[in-house]
Amino acid sequence: MMKSSEAALAYFHRAADQLELADSMRRRLIIAKREVQVQVTIERDNGDVETFIGYRVQHDNSRGPMKGGFRYHPQVDLDEIRSLAALMTLKTAVVNIPYGGAKGGIAVDARQLSSRELERLTRKFIDELHDVIGPDIDVPAPDMGTDARVMAWIMNQYNKYHGFNPGVVTGKPVEYYGIPGREEATGRGVGIVTLKTLGRMGHKPQQTRVAIQGFGNVGSHTAKVLKDAEFKVVAISDVSGGYYRKDGIDVLGAIRHSNQNKMSLEGYREAEKITNEQLLELDVDILVPAALGGVINSDNVGKIRAPIIIEAANEPIWAEANDVLAERGTLIVPDVLANAGGVTVSYFEWAQNRQFYHWNLDRVRQELERVMTLAFDSVWDLSRERKVTLRTAAFMLGIDRVARATELSGLE
Ligand code: GLU
C-alpha cells in the first residue's frame, strides 16, 4: 500500500516542475516547521488507565497562522498527519485565506469512548499542546472523528491556561462562539464545485447520477446539498455498507435514519444493500469519496467507472491510481479545492471571534460561495491554459502563493 506522504509528494513535484521551482525552495516547502508527538493518558470510566499517542504537525506559516483539523481515528500516524498538514497549507492558499497549514490527531477509535472519556482525552491532549497552539499561531478545527463538542472542550481547556480566547479553535458549537453554517460548510463547498464543474461541462444536475462514499458530516451534507440542487443521489454508504436506489435515495430520510441510529445507516431498508467496494465501482456520472484516504488505489482503479470524481475527503485517491484515471480522461476535482469550504468558514468564524461580530447563515453561505467560485475559476482556467490536470493546477496555484510569501519573508 502506498503511503499518504508519497502520494502528496508525487503531486507536489509535478506542480513544482511546472512552476520550475528551485530545489532549495522545494525542500523548504516540503519539510514541516514543527512536528509534535505527545502521550495522552486517561482513566477510562471503568478505572483502567490507557495511553494514546497524539500528534500535531505544523507545516507552514508563511501566509498566516497554521490551520487544520484534529483527527481521532485508529489509523492516525505521523506519516498521515504530516501529509495532511502539507495539504492544509496548499488548501488555504488555493482559496486564498490568510493561513498556513497544520494537522493533528490521536490514534484512537473515538466511537469506543464514552462522552466523558472523550472529554478527558481532549483536555489531556490540549494540556500537552496548549503551548504550541493559539489564535495567532495554530488554530485547530474538526476533522474525522471530532466535532463541535470536542472543539468546545478545546477552547475551554486552552482558556484555562491563556485566558479568554475563542479564536484558538474553530468549528465550535454555534451557541458557544461558533458560526452558523460551519458544520455544513465542507459539504456545501463540495456542492458548489460540483455545480461549477457541471456548468463548465454543459451538463444538467437533473440528468446527473451521483454516488457518495461516506455519510459522516461531509458526506451527509454533500448529499443534502446535491439533492437540493436536483442531482440524483443514487448511492450512499458508511461503515455499515452501501445503499443503492436507481431512482434516487431519499436523502433526508437516510439522514434521519442515521441520526436516530447512533450515526449509522445500519438497517436502512429504503434502498438495495451493496458493499462499499461496489459503490465505488458503480456506473454513475459523479463519484464523491467523502471518507478515508486511499480508497481508490491500484487494486480497484481498473473498476472505477465514474467519469467525474469530486474529492470531498482528503487524499481519497493514491497517486498510482490518479495517473491511471487521468490517462483515461477521468475529471478529478482535487481535495485542496473540493473540500476547502470547511476551512473557509473556519476563517469566517475565527475572524469574527476576534472582532466580536456576527454574520447570519445567509451571509456565511454567500461569502462561502464567493470564495469557492473564485478558487474554482482560477484553478479551472489555469488547468486549461497550461494543459494540466485540475490537481496539478490547484497545486501550482497553492505552491506559487506559498513560495512567494516564503521568499518575501526573507531568511534571517
Ligand atoms: N479538517 C478540515 C479540513 O481538512 C477543516 C480544517 C479547518 O477548518 O481548519 O479541511
Side-chain angles (χ1 to χ4, degrees), residues 20-246:
E20 297 179 23
L21 202 68
D23 285 346
S24 59
M25 181 55 88
R26 290 185 197 209
R27 195 167 156 74
R28 217 171 146 190
L29 296 190
I30 289 168
I31 296 176
K33 284 194 79 65
R34 175 156 57 187
E35 303 188 344
V36 184
Q37 179 184 315
V38 296
Q39 184 193 106
V40 190
T41 298
I42 58 158
E43 187 179 329
R44 299 291 298 260
D45 292 343
N46 66 6
D48 286 355
V49 171
E50 207 165 328
T51 295
F52 301 92
I53 307 178
Y55 306 93
R56 186 69 176 172
V57 172
Q58 299 179 326
H59 176 256
D60 187 273
N61 64 354
S62 60
R63 301 180 60 261
M66 294 172 280
K67 188 86 192 79
F70 275 153
R71 177 173 285 203
Y72 290 178
H73 191 275
Q75 275 173 25
V76 160
D77 63 21
L78 187 56
D79 180 72
E80 184 195 57
I81 295 294
R82 192 180 270 155
S83 73
L84 291 173
L87 219 55
M88 285 308 302
T89 300
L90 293 178
K91 196 184 295 184
T92 54
V94 167
V95 285
N96 212 1
I97 53 178
Y99 286 137
K103 196 77 153 204
I106 304 179
V108 60
D109 187 352
R111 286 170 312 174
Q112 306 292 331
L113 299 184
S114 70
S115 182
R116 289 286 296 121
E117 289 170 337
L118 196 64
E119 178 174 351
R120 284 201 288 277
L121 183 84
T122 301
R123 291 187 185 276
K124 211 47 189 292
F125 190 33
I126 297 308
D127 286 341
E128 300 302 322
L129 287 183
H130 74 89
D131 267 340
V132 296
I133 61 172
D136 294 316
I137 304 168
D138 176 8
V139 184
D143 199 87
M144 205 178 281
T146 58
D147 56 17
R149 239 178 354 151
V150 174
M151 301 306 120
W153 294 323
I154 293 173
M155 171 187 155
N156 186 269
Q157 193 66 7
Y158 179 86
N159 290 358
K160 288 181 182 167
Y161 291 98
H162 302 274
F164 178 72
N165 246 315
V168 65
V169 61
T170 59
K172 300 179 293 294
V174 178
E175 309 83 346
Y176 192 63
Y177 306 95
I179 188 172
R182 172 62 186 86
E183 203 174 278
E184 64 168 31
T186 310
R188 180 162 284 271
V190 172
I192 294 168
V193 301
T194 307
L195 273 170
K196 298 274 163 214
T197 305
L198 276 204
R200 293 284 185 143
M201 299 181 79
H203 297 177
K204 296 246 173 322
Q206 294 82 351
Q207 279 124 36
T208 306
R209 295 160 305 151
V210 188
I212 301 174
Q213 187 238 357
F215 210 61
N217 175 44
V218 179
S220 62
H221 279 111
T222 299
K224 189 171 172 303
V225 171
L226 292 182
K227 165 106 185 156
D228 288 347
E230 295 185 48
F231 285 81
K232 214 189 239 185
V233 178
V234 295
I236 54 175
S237 75
D238 69 5
V239 281
S240 72
Y243 303 83
Y244 175 76
R245 190 164 177 274
K246 198 166 135 272

